[in-house]
Amino acid sequence: MANYWRTAWRRHLLAVSMALFCLLHNPMDVHARPANMSSLKDKNSPTSKEENEILPPDHLNGMKLEMDGHINKGFHQEVFLGKEMEEFEEDSEPRRNRNKLIDIFRKVDFNKDKSVSAKEMQRWIVEKTEEHFQEAVRENKMSFHAVDPDGDGHVTWNEYRVKFLASKGFNKKEMADKIKNSEELKVDEETQEVLESLKDRWFQADNPPADQLLNEEEFLSFLHPEHSKGMLKYMVKEIVRDLDQDSDKKLTLSEFISLPMGTVENQQAQDIDDDWVRERKKEFEEVIDGNHDGIVTMEELQEYMDPMNEYNALNEAKQMIAVADENQNHNLELEEILKYSEYFTGSKLMDYARNVHEEF
């Protein structure tokens, strides 16, 4: 069966080529890693909104890996800010952001001793991850309504398939009639690959007893595999299958850090590749490979990716504290979190120490 994520990988190769082109023409626009397939989506496309409503997203807030196996570079900010992420993105005024960060610090500091411990940060991370979960549930209600216009509470694979093809620009009535009469659809190869992968994913989300119908909860798992242990396992299998070069259903370091084949045309492009390798090597060796045997099993990868794993949340809390813990007391003080605001919020605050004690 054709693999949707192998299609994604081909798009990834195209994205790398696009990144190299951007490097030659406008180096400042390039992120310090090979682009993933989500960067190729045309945000202004007339079908993009409809597609986004019904297609599984590439990026899942609060997940350490993207659907295509890329490391989620915004993960720290997502699990620290939760639903407040958009406020920092939309409002770049430093003083306001600084006051928001001070307010967050007070909330994380549960025992009000003016420092944040690993346990307090762990508690906060779990709470913020749950906010992302609840946001996904709210969005799923709208997405489910889009594919269940008759409101009977169930969606068949054929109903979804018609909706998907219509979102890709195919005539809705024509596609519905062909599907009803079991006629050949005659779609392009890429669309067919996506359909086959979506069908596989659809049946994975169909809880026993399988009836080829998805209710709202099952549709949530279809769009957001982090909401279901079974679908999270399926997501892990897909990622491993795409990276696993010797088909042993495990990942070595060389497999995890491997780059797409291609020619590096200048030093800046080489730097992007070097950053990619360095970042993934560090994550593999220090975080994912739990027993440090040089091999990551599906079980290890699933444990690493489980967003509601409290042990992971504690490890993440310790890592986040270590980044800013200048006085090495294993806690975070307000001055430290303000100084390292870019790491926690994506917003660099200038003059972070000005009047800190007075305001706090």
Side-chain angles (χ1 to χ4, degrees):
M1 179 180 291
N3 189 338
Y4 173 54
W5 299 114
R6 296 204 181 278
T7 301
W9 190 251
R10 285 199 292 273
R11 291 179 180 176
H12 167 75
L13 296 179
L14 176 60
V16 173
S17 299
M18 290 173 65
L20 292 175
F21 177 83
C22 291
L23 276 170
L24 296 173
H25 292 80
N26 189 0
M28 297 304 293
D29 289 342
V30 180
H31 297 291
R33 67 165 180 169
N36 64 16
M37 65 177 288
S38 60
S39 67
L40 291 172
K41 287 185 176 178
D42 182 0
K43 304 298 183 184
N44 297 316
S45 167
T47 62
S48 63
K49 181 179 184 297
E50 190 174 8
E51 284 185 60
N52 287 340
E53 283 183 341
I54 65 171
L55 276 178
D58 300 318
H59 175 82
L60 301 168
N61 283 337
M63 293 285 286
K64 289 190 172 183
L65 293 184
E66 311 279 13
M67 289 294 295
D68 56 10
H70 284 65
I71 290 175
N72 175 8
K73 293 184 76 68
F75 176 75
H76 305 300
Q77 295 157 22
E78 291 167 4
V79 297
F80 183 73
L81 295 176
K83 64 184 180 182
E84 294 173 293
M85 275 187 64
E86 291 183 5
E87 294 182 19
F88 278 85
E89 291 172 357
E90 294 171 0
D91 181 9
S92 59
E93 204 283 309
R95 187 170 184 82
R96 287 187 183 180
N97 282 347
R98 180 170 169 271
N99 289 338
K100 289 175 189 172
L101 189 51
I102 291 171
D103 186 53
I104 289 173
F105 179 88
R106 289 171 172 151
K107 293 175 182 176
V108 184
D109 179 19
F110 187 69
N111 65 5
K112 307 304 178 187
D113 65 351
K114 298 188 178 182
S115 69
V116 170
S117 67
K119 282 291 186 180
E120 286 174 320
M121 185 68 84
Q122 176 196 28
R123 173 181 170 275
W124 182 257
I125 288 171
V126 171
E127 183 179 319
K128 297 295 109 178
T129 301
E130 181 61 31
E131 288 182 2
H132 290 304
F133 268 51
Q134 293 307 315
E135 179 62 25
V137 170
R138 287 190 293 271
E139 291 176 354
N140 182 67
K141 286 186 179 296
M142 294 184 289
S143 298
F144 188 75
H145 178 72
V147 296
D148 181 34
D150 60 5
D152 66 355
H154 295 87
V155 180
T156 68
W157 164 244
N158 283 343
E159 286 174 331
Y160 177 81
R161 191 161 42 145
V162 169
K163 186 74 175 178
F164 166 73
L165 290 168
S167 77
K168 299 292 287 185
F170 294 92
N171 182 279
K172 185 175 182 179
K173 186 178 185 305
E174 181 183 343
M175 291 294 104
D177 289 343
K178 285 188 174 184
I179 289 172
K180 182 179 180 180
N181 298 322
S182 301
E183 297 177 19
E184 185 181 356
L185 295 181
K186 294 181 180 178
V187 298
D188 58 274
E189 181 182 355
E190 182 178 321
T191 300
Q192 185 60 38
E193 285 190 0
V194 174
L195 271 174
E196 289 180 7
S197 181
L198 287 172
K199 183 178 181 179
D200 187 27
R201 187 181 181 120
W202 184 274
F203 285 97
Q204 289 288 332
D206 184 10
N207 292 329
D211 55 9
Q212 300 184 27
L213 301 171
L214 296 191
N215 58 30
E216 187 173 321
E217 183 179 348
E218 290 168 329
F219 193 71
L220 174 64
S221 297
F222 172 73
L223 292 183
H224 289 271
E226 74 274 22
H227 285 254
S228 159
K229 291 290 185 183
M231 286 301 290
L232 182 63
K233 186 175 182 179
Y234 172 76
M235 179 182 173
V236 167
K237 286 174 64 177
E238 289 289 284
I239 290 174
V240 169
R241 182 165 65 172
D242 282 345
L243 299 178
D244 180 18
Q245 296 170 8
D246 58 8
S247 302
D248 65 351
K249 299 182 180 179
K250 301 174 184 176
L251 295 179
T252 62
L253 175 61
S254 62
E255 289 171 330
F256 190 72
I257 67 175
S258 63
L259 283 159
M261 294 176 61
T263 303
V264 177
E265 298 184 8
N266 60 28
Q267 185 57 47
Q268 287 174 302
Q270 182 63 56
D271 290 344
I272 289 177
D273 285 357
D274 291 346
D275 286 343
W276 160 269
V277 170
R278 187 162 44 247
E279 179 184 59
R280 291 177 74 85
K281 182 175 186 293
K282 184 175 187 293
E283 193 74 5
F284 184 98
E285 293 179 337
E286 297 182 10
V287 186
I288 307 177
D289 182 15
N291 60 5
H292 305 292
D293 64 352
I295 300 290
V296 166
T297 63
M298 287 193 187
E299 291 74 21
E300 284 177 313
L301 190 59
Q302 183 172 343
E303 183 176 330
Y304 163 79
M305 290 184 63
D306 184 355
M308 296 309 291
N309 183 323
E310 292 200 4
Y311 177 74
N312 283 351
L314 180 60
N315 281 340
E316 184 63 29
K318 290 177 179 178
Q319 289 178 48
M320 292 173 77
I321 288 173
V323 167
D325 184 20
E326 290 195 340
N327 62 10
Q328 298 294 300
N329 68 350
H330 307 294
N331 289 328
L332 278 185
E333 278 72 49
L334 180 60
E335 292 91 338
E336 292 171 330
I337 207 168
L338 288 172
K339 184 173 182 179
Y340 289 85
S341 62
E342 191 168 12
Y343 173 80
F344 290 101
T345 70
S347 174
K348 190 171 184 177
L349 306 181
M350 304 305 292
D351 300 324
Y352 70 91
R354 183 184 299 169
N355 298 326
V356 166
H357 294 291
E358 287 84 348
E359 293 192 24
F360 188 61

